Amino acid sequence: MANHEVLTPSQRDTLIKGIETLTEHQIIRYFKLSEAELTFIHQENGQRKQMGLAVQLCFLRYPGRPFEVTDTLPDTVLLYIARQVGVVSSSLNDYVQMSKDTLNTHLQTLQTHFGFRKFTAEAEQEMKAWLLPLAMETDSGLTLLTGLTEAMRQRQMVQPRLSVLEEFVWQTRREAQQTLFQQLTTPLPITQYHTLSQLVEVRSGTTSTYLTWLQEPPGEARPTRFLGVAERLTFLRDMELPAGLRQTVPPSRLVEFAREGAKMTAQRLKNEKSPELLQQYYAWLVAFCLERITLLTDQALQMSDDLGGRLFSRSEHRRNQQFQTNAKAINAILHSHSKSGKALIGARTDAKDPYAAIQMAVGWEKYLKSVEDAQKLAQPEGFDPLDHLDNYYSAMRRYTPTLMNLFDFKGTQATEPLREAIELLQHRNQQEKPPPLPDDAPTDFVKPRWEDYVYSPDGTLDPHYYEFCVFSELRDQLRSGDMWVPDSKQFKDFEADLIPKATWATMKQTNTIPLAINTDFKTYMDERKQQVKKRMREVNDLLASGQLSGVTLVKERLHIERLDALELPDGTEDMAGRIHKMLPAIRITELIQEVLSWVAFDKCFTHERTGQPVPEGRALLAVILADALNVSVDKMAQACPELQRETIVSTAQWYMREETYAQALSELVSYHRQLPFVIYWGDGTTSASDAQFFATEGRRSALAHISRHYGFDPGIFVYTHYSDQHESFHIAILSPHDHQAPYAVDGLVAHRADMPIREHYTDTGGVSDIAFAMLHLMGYGYAPRMRDIRKRKLHIFEPASTYPALASLIGDQIKEKQIETHWDDILRATSSIEQGFVRATVLMKKLSAYPRQNNLASALKELGQIERTLFTLDWLQYPELRRRVLLGLQKVEWKHALARVVFAHRRGSFQEAEYSQQLNRASGLNLVIMCIIIWNTVYMARAVEQLRQAGVVVSEAILPHVSPLQWEHINFLGDFIWNRPLPALVQGLRALQL
């Protein structure tokens, strides 16, 4: 049988050493011996046999395989077993010296007496039936293997060698794939295969295939770009794939197959003769179409949202600009009316002729002229940007008719009037000359702000403002999740994002809610109340007595002194410089290869179709370095003459994707955490996250926007999570317009590294009451640097007068009843993120989009205000907390500086328009930085050791301040070769490229 691997080296090592990582609770769970078991063990004579039998029995329970004489057990496990048996733990050493036959006899006796089953052909079929559904859900070798071993333990089935189990998982996974291919293709009529084949043909009048056309980046939000997205979406819908195909395949597998379909070629499809492979190819194309429909749906809806926001911004800008233009005239009118007003007041006081008073003050003609000018210049009383919105009606009509007709909008019962209004507009859009709006047109969705615009003075409906109002409300309802669109991932039913209700009911009954709090509301809230009261009393008294270090409150104005620079131990800079200068000069290529010799992260880059590791390691490293240095694959191929260009391009196409980069990063982080030197930088339980701006070439990317903090070039943010031990363990790509708090939560939950983070720091952009609530429920301490802390009120359960020194800082009381009413929803939503049912970025954006009508969002904000209040009190009282947060964020800034140095080519700007390409580029940069950190850490430790051997005193107090983010010794440019012989010349010149 071929030896197929499904685990990475570190995953395999973790499974093999699993017994070494058991907690006290797990040791009791797996190795508690019953009276009957102890009676059976004590039938043997001698301590060594009794201990040996007990260990063999425990091994059959966990990890579930036979004990081998080479196995080592942690002292905690040995002592626990020995105490139960009543022998000394060292007797196991005597047992392993006994003959192999004796040990095998004991094993067979235990299996027979306690009913352990062998992994026979019949058992294989049983476990395959159990594993197959899971293999259809996920392709993860680790998930499948850990699930399989746990299921075998529950059935008392003895596990064979790990290599046998890996092969079994590989074969089952392959069978699951074939089943999924059949489910996607069996419902297709014969004519559908011809339609799918056309996807790889060249479009009429162009040089690109339909497949390429469908994958064109949407670009920035413009009406023409929106119509282009709508055209591609309509094309796919017109293929009329059988209904329900999407539901036959788990979402994660559909994405995986769609990536394969995106790379299909006409030659590959036409030349394939194997029916099995042809079925696989067509399944990939079906998956591509289904996923592309979802992606284009989200692109169209997001683009319409951006376009709508731009319309309202332009209207507001027009109002402000008009006001500024007329400022001088308005000021003159104000002066004139001020004089005439004073004259009128004086005339009334002195009982004189008011008209004569005006004549004397400003002149009657001037007064009439000022009234006339005031009427012309006056804005409507509400001074609302909506007054100018009608100027952009034609701009809106360039795309909203297509938007309304393109989608079947669904929603809650409360949105029914709005959906009826959309249907009315859809009907009007189909007519060449739309009639006036009917008197009974639905209007229950019209909010007070819109009423004066939607309703004309004669009571009829204004068709322009009616349409604007419908569009505005549609945006809000889609954002909040109260309305949704079938086939959308971003704008789908809010309920579909959460743990299914049946599963949630089971979790509550079995007390398996995956949160770090007591989920009983009364118990939980009583504890938080007492904590808030206790901390408020303490900080109130300290402030009143002037004992808050660096904090004062004068005339209701809070002032927090800037922290003094951290006082470094004497000689820190000199010693750090000496250590850094000892680092060997090295090329970046050599550095990456050396790190690869320590940790086999190349095994994580598997072929998208076959799952096999990359065969040409040098090509893989070339592609990673190309991503990191911000050069194209073609340029990297030119710089690597010993490698074939086709090999590098193929590696980039088939092996580089989000999950392979993430797995490789996890391997590097795990290795770095095991290095002894990292303990100088922290204990690994804190982290920080922050965004770094990168310009993009043009605004082709949908995420690229101009940020007023970074000049006038459009760009994107790369959002990094960075541990106190200098491990960059998660990255994300976001728009400068995106709120950063959801990404902070997402990185803590979704990363793949083994990181026991307990406290997380963010900058001001990561502050969110919902994030405070959710991270607290998950067990994380959330510590953002809040520059605007003076503007953020404290929220308590009592009147503000209870704490007089803090009274000016106290806002509304906590609405405890609102939290209690939605307590179950709060737990379910947070657990859905924790369990991976939905990304934090998706759910939190919906909750934050339209909180006035989302009761769950309001309840979460109330809960978050409790945690923000407690954090603020700590921030005021403890300077060491403020310093800890600043230091954590400073480490991220140092990492950003290194990123700028590495990502230097092409002006340090992203050239890619597709999100996946941008993420690959950022992932390659992050991976190379992690390699640099590892290499520097190893050699810094060596340098310190060498200095101490030479008699140099290197203080332990200095080492926490020696950073591994150094690059002066690294050559990022490569070698310039001047003595290479000239190629064959034609008439004294090189041959042109044809």
Side-chain angles (χ1 to χ4, degrees):
M1 184 181 290
N3 183 23
H4 295 108
E5 296 179 345
V6 298
L7 300 176
T8 65
S10 69
Q11 289 173 343
R12 193 173 295 110
D13 187 59
T14 299
L15 279 180
I16 291 172
K17 297 179 179 179
I19 199 169
E20 299 176 9
T21 62
L22 294 179
T23 64
E24 181 181 358
H25 175 75
Q26 290 172 322
I27 291 173
I28 296 172
R29 173 188 171 191
Y30 289 124
F31 303 140
K32 173 70 175 174
L33 298 170
S34 67
E35 289 296 327
E37 289 167 339
L38 288 170
T39 300
F40 178 82
I41 289 168
H42 287 141
Q43 290 176 1
E44 286 289 343
N45 295 323
Q47 288 195 11
R48 64 175 182 173
K49 288 185 178 181
Q50 292 176 0
M51 185 64 180
L53 270 180
V55 169
Q56 288 238 46
L57 177 58
C58 289
F59 249 75
L60 289 173
R61 287 182 179 172
Y62 185 88
R65 61 174 175 81
F67 171 74
E68 297 178 5
V69 295
T70 55
D71 286 321
T72 58
L73 279 77
D75 291 340
T76 50
V77 173
L78 273 175
L79 290 171
Y80 182 71
I81 296 173
R83 279 198 301 267
Q84 294 180 86
V85 179
V87 299
V88 294
S89 60
S90 59
S91 56
L92 181 64
N93 297 329
D94 299 327
Y95 180 73
V96 298
Q97 302 300 322
M98 299 182 71
S99 69
K100 191 174 182 180
D101 289 342
T102 300
L103 270 62
N104 286 336
T105 300
H106 284 171
L107 176 62
Q108 298 300 324
T109 302
L110 287 168
Q111 290 180 0
T112 302
H113 183 82
F114 291 105
F116 287 96
R117 303 161 56 193
K118 294 183 179 179
F119 195 52
T120 61
E122 181 182 354
E124 278 194 43
Q125 291 303 313
E126 178 184 342
M127 294 316 300
K128 179 175 286 189
W130 181 89
L131 186 61
L132 195 60
L134 183 60
M136 293 175 69
E137 290 282 345
T138 178
D139 207 31
S140 167
L142 180 62
T143 301
L144 294 174
L145 197 57
T146 53
L148 174 66
T149 53
E150 180 61 32
M152 292 178 73
R153 283 193 289 268
Q154 292 174 356
R155 291 163 174 76
Q156 287 198 299
M157 197 177 289
V158 181
Q159 299 169 21
R161 296 188 313 276
L162 186 57
S163 59
V164 174
L165 289 179
E166 284 196 69
E167 177 65 30
F168 178 75
V169 167
W170 188 91
Q171 295 290 350
T172 306
R173 186 170 65 180
R174 185 171 181 274
E175 185 177 328
Q177 281 189 339
Q178 293 301 321
T179 303
L180 293 171
F181 295 151
Q182 291 173 8
Q183 291 176 345
L184 283 172
T185 55
T186 301
L188 298 177
I190 296 299
T191 55
Q192 200 78 66
Y193 287 92
H194 174 69
T195 305
L196 289 168
S197 299
Q198 288 183 321
L199 291 175
V200 295
E201 302 295 336
V202 176
R203 289 178 70 214
S204 176
T206 71
T207 58
S208 61
T209 65
Y210 283 94
L211 210 59
T212 302
W213 172 63
L214 290 168
Q215 296 178 75
E216 286 182 1
E220 66 171 319
R222 293 179 182 171
T224 52
R225 298 279 174 82
F226 175 86
L227 296 177
V229 172
E231 181 187 3
R232 293 193 286 276
L233 180 57
T234 302
F235 173 84
L236 287 172
R237 286 179 177 175
D238 289 345
M239 293 178 66
E240 297 182 345
L241 292 172
L245 272 183
R246 186 185 299 276
Q247 285 69 41
T248 64
V249 178
S252 60
R253 306 311 297 276
L254 199 65
V255 172
E256 175 190 333
F257 296 160
R259 283 199 301 259
E260 294 279 3
K263 299 170 184 174
M264 187 60 61
T265 64
Q267 182 181 11
R268 189 177 179 190
L269 195 63
K270 290 176 180 177
N271 294 345
E272 186 55 62
K273 304 301 180 185
S274 165
E276 183 177 319
L277 283 178
L278 274 175
Q279 182 187 57
Q280 181 174 318
Y281 293 167
Y282 280 109
W284 287 344
L285 287 174
V286 170
F288 169 81
C289 292
L290 294 174
E291 274 301 291
R292 190 54 46 169
I293 286 173
T294 294
L295 181 61
L296 291 171
T297 297
D298 284 345
Q299 287 176 354
L301 291 170
Q302 184 60 56
M303 196 175 288
S304 75
D305 185 279
D306 292 343
L307 287 169
R310 192 174 300 172
L311 282 178
F312 292 110
S313 295
R314 288 169 68 186
S315 178
E316 183 174 6
H317 178 71
R318 187 185 182 100
R319 179 203 65 182
N320 296 339
Q321 192 174 42
Q322 182 175 329
F323 185 74
Q324 290 173 359
T325 302
N326 298 327
K328 187 174 181 180
I330 292 171
N331 191 54
I333 292 171
L334 288 174
H335 276 290
S336 175
H337 281 257
S338 174
K339 290 179 181 179
S340 58
K342 283 183 179 180
L344 285 172
I345 294 171
R348 173 165 182 161
T349 303
D350 300 334
K352 293 182 179 179
D353 183 359
Y355 304 112
I358 292 176
Q359 177 65 34
M360 281 190 72
V362 296
W364 187 253
E365 293 301 323
K366 259 190 179 180
Y367 179 72
L368 292 178
K369 181 70 167 55
S370 69
V371 172
E372 183 181 339
D373 290 343
Q375 289 174 334
K376 291 178 181 178
L377 295 175
Q379 298 273 353
E381 289 185 17
F383 200 59
D384 197 314
L386 296 184
D387 296 317
H388 301 274
L389 197 56
D390 200 29
N391 293 290
Y392 304 104
Y393 180 73
S394 60
M396 183 189 70
R397 289 287 298 176
R398 292 174 63 188
Y399 64 94
T400 51
T402 302
L403 170 70
M404 299 295 182
N405 295 328
L406 191 60
F407 299 111
D408 178 21
F409 295 102
K410 306 291 185 183
T412 61
Q413 187 174 356
T415 65
E416 187 174 348
L418 178 58
R419 286 183 283 122
E420 290 175 354
I422 292 172
E423 290 178 9
L424 173 62
L425 293 179
Q426 289 172 340
H427 178 69
R428 281 170 53 83
N429 290 335
Q430 294 168 2
Q431 301 180 47
E432 187 174 346
K433 287 188 176 182
L437 289 168
D439 293 337
D440 61 348
T443 57
D444 289 350
F445 61 90
V446 178
K447 292 187 169 53
R449 180 191 178 193
W450 284 89
E451 288 178 351
D452 290 340
Y453 302 94
V454 172
Y455 295 102
S456 301
D458 61 359
T460 60
L461 294 172
D462 184 301
H464 288 194
Y465 273 103
Y466 185 85
E467 194 167 342
F468 273 123
C469 183
V470 169
F471 179 48
S472 174
E473 287 300 304
L474 175 61
R475 287 180 71 230
D476 287 339
Q477 299 295 353
L478 284 172
R479 286 179 171 190
S480 69
D482 290 337
M483 285 184 67
W484 57 89
V485 174
D487 295 331
S488 173
K489 184 178 293 183
Q490 183 178 350
F491 299 95
K492 66 180 180 180
D493 181 8
F494 187 85
E495 180 66 27
D497 286 327
L498 305 179
I499 295 172
K501 289 184 176 179
T503 305
W504 179 243
T506 301
M507 292 172 74
K508 290 193 293 183
Q509 291 172 0
T510 56
N511 198 27
T512 54
I513 295 176
L515 299 178
I517 60 159
N518 188 318
T519 56
D520 176 71
F521 176 78
K522 187 177 185 310
T523 304
Y524 170 83
M525 191 53 66
D526 286 348
E527 186 275 328
R528 299 320 278 167
K529 274 186 184 179
Q530 293 304 315
Q531 184 68 6
V532 169
K533 291 177 181 179
K534 174 177 176 292
R535 296 293 294 122
M536 286 293 293
R537 282 196 301 269
E538 292 172 351
V539 176
N540 181 81
D541 294 345
L542 289 170
L543 183 61
S545 59
Q547 297 182 55
L548 282 181
S549 177
V551 178
T552 56
L553 185 65
V554 180
K555 295 182 179 180
E556 300 187 358
R557 183 174 180 80
L558 183 69
H559 177 71
I560 303 176
E561 291 181 3
R562 184 185 296 271
L563 291 171
D564 295 332
L566 184 64
E567 190 172 334
L568 300 178
D570 292 339
T572 296
E573 291 186 9
D574 291 340
M575 181 56 67
R578 187 171 182 179
I579 293 171
H580 290 148
K581 286 179 181 178
M582 292 178 68
L583 299 179
I586 189 170
R587 299 176 182 87
I588 187 61
T589 50
E590 297 169 338
L591 184 149
I592 298 172
Q593 284 183 306
E594 190 168 355
V595 172
L596 180 63
S597 70
W598 302 335
V599 50
F601 64 84
D602 58 328
K603 301 298 182 185
C604 302
F605 291 91
T606 55
H607 195 283
E608 195 164 13
R609 185 176 71 250
T610 66
Q612 293 301 305
V614 63
E616 176 51 83
R618 294 176 303 168
L620 171 68
L621 299 185
V623 175
I624 292 173
L625 191 57
D627 279 339
L629 297 179
N630 195 25
V631 300
S632 67
V633 171
D634 285 336
K635 285 290 184 184
M636 182 56 71
Q638 293 174 21
C640 300
E642 75 277 12
L643 295 174
Q644 293 291 326
R645 176 186 177 279
E646 291 75 14
T647 304
I648 295 178
V649 172
S650 175
T651 301
Q653 184 177 26
W654 290 103
Y655 295 88
M656 318 307 291
R657 53 192 185 274
E658 180 180 359
E659 57 267 31
T660 54
Y661 261 127
Q663 189 59 56
L665 180 65
S666 174
E667 294 289 312
L668 290 169
V669 169
S670 296
Y671 179 84
H672 188 254
R673 292 183 68 79
Q674 297 171 13
L675 298 176
F677 200 80
V678 301
I679 198 64
Y680 289 114
W681 298 315
D683 60 5
T685 61
T686 69
S687 62
S689 59
D690 198 12
Q692 183 175 18
F693 181 82
F694 287 90
T696 54
E697 292 296 319
R699 294 185 64 173
R700 296 177 300 153
S701 169
L703 288 177
H705 288 88
I706 294 173
S707 171
R708 60 187 178 89
H709 300 292
Y710 300 96
F712 298 99
D713 292 326
I716 57 175
F717 276 154
V718 176
Y719 196 74
T720 302
H721 281 66
Y722 199 73
S723 80
D724 56 350
Q725 294 183 334
H726 289 286
E727 289 129 2
S728 185
F729 61 91
H730 187 267
I731 61 164
I733 302 290
L734 59 148
S735 164
H737 291 177
D738 284 334
H739 198 292
Q740 295 174 22
Y743 293 90
V745 177
D746 200 47
L748 290 173
V749 177
H751 72 82
R752 303 190 181 193
D754 182 18
M755 307 284 291
I757 302 299
R758 288 292 169 265
E759 186 174 66
H760 185 71
Y761 317 129
T762 68
D763 214 334
T764 304
V767 179
S768 157
D769 286 340
I770 293 179
F772 264 109
M774 287 188 161
L775 287 175
H776 165 69
L777 296 178
M778 295 179 195
Y780 295 99
Y782 186 42
R785 174 172 61 178
M786 297 192 293
R787 290 197 181 97
D788 56 349
I789 195 168
R790 301 175 184 86
K791 301 177 183 178
R792 297 178 184 269
K793 296 293 187 180
L794 302 174
H795 299 273
I796 58 177
F797 297 90
E798 307 140 288
S801 57
T802 310
Y803 308 101
L806 291 168
S808 62
L809 302 179
I810 297 174
D812 297 335
Q813 289 189 25
I814 296 295
K815 299 181 180 66
E816 183 181 347
K817 188 64 179 177
Q818 188 171 18
I819 301 174
E820 183 177 13
T821 301
H822 299 282
W823 182 243
D824 190 69
D825 294 331
I826 288 172
L827 299 180
R828 184 181 172 210
T830 309
S831 297
S832 297
I833 294 175
E834 175 71 14
Q835 292 289 89
F837 279 82
V838 62
R839 298 292 292 261
T841 47
V842 174
L843 194 63
M844 289 179 66
K845 283 182 181 181
K846 286 186 177 181
L847 290 170
S848 302
Y850 204 36
R852 287 173 295 171
Q853 290 205 357
N854 194 313
N855 293 324
L856 172 58
S858 299
L860 270 166
K861 288 183 72 175
E862 291 293 323
L863 185 64
Q865 286 172 355
I866 297 175
E867 300 310 315
R868 178 165 56 79
T869 295
L870 289 169
F871 167 73
T872 303
L873 295 171
D874 288 345
W875 185 267
L876 296 176
Q877 182 174 354
Y878 303 119
E880 57 269 27
L881 170 62
R882 305 199 291 271
R883 188 176 297 281
R884 200 162 65 238
V885 172
L886 293 177
L887 180 58
L889 291 171
Q890 191 175 52
K891 287 184 178 181
V892 186
E893 292 295 334
W894 293 339
K895 183 261 182 187
H896 288 173
L898 177 55
R900 285 291 178 202
V901 173
V902 179
F903 201 73
H905 290 270
R906 298 193 286 191
R907 298 179 295 280
S909 300
F910 276 78
Q911 311 290 313
E912 295 76 21
E914 279 282 354
Y915 170 81
S916 59
Q917 297 170 337
Q918 293 172 346
L919 187 59
N920 273 4
R921 182 72 72 188
S923 298
L925 173 61
N926 201 43
L927 198 75
V928 167
I929 288 175
M930 199 62 231
C931 287
I932 292 172
I933 291 171
I934 289 173
W935 194 91
N936 283 350
T937 301
V938 170
Y939 278 91
M940 283 166 56
R942 181 72 177 272
V944 170
E945 179 185 359
Q946 190 167 315
L947 286 170
R948 286 172 170 168
Q949 288 175 353
V952 177
V953 177
V954 183
S955 170
E956 295 282 304
I958 287 176
L959 295 180
H961 307 287
V962 184
S963 169
L965 293 167
Q966 298 297 314
W967 64 80
E968 291 85 354
H969 56 294
I970 303 172
N971 177 5
F972 293 104
L973 296 177
D975 298 327
F976 296 95
I977 301 173
W978 302 101
N979 59 356
R980 182 173 291 172
L982 290 174
L985 303 179
V986 180
Q987 297 178 349
L989 298 174
R990 298 170 184 262
L992 297 175
Q993 297 187 70
L994 302 178

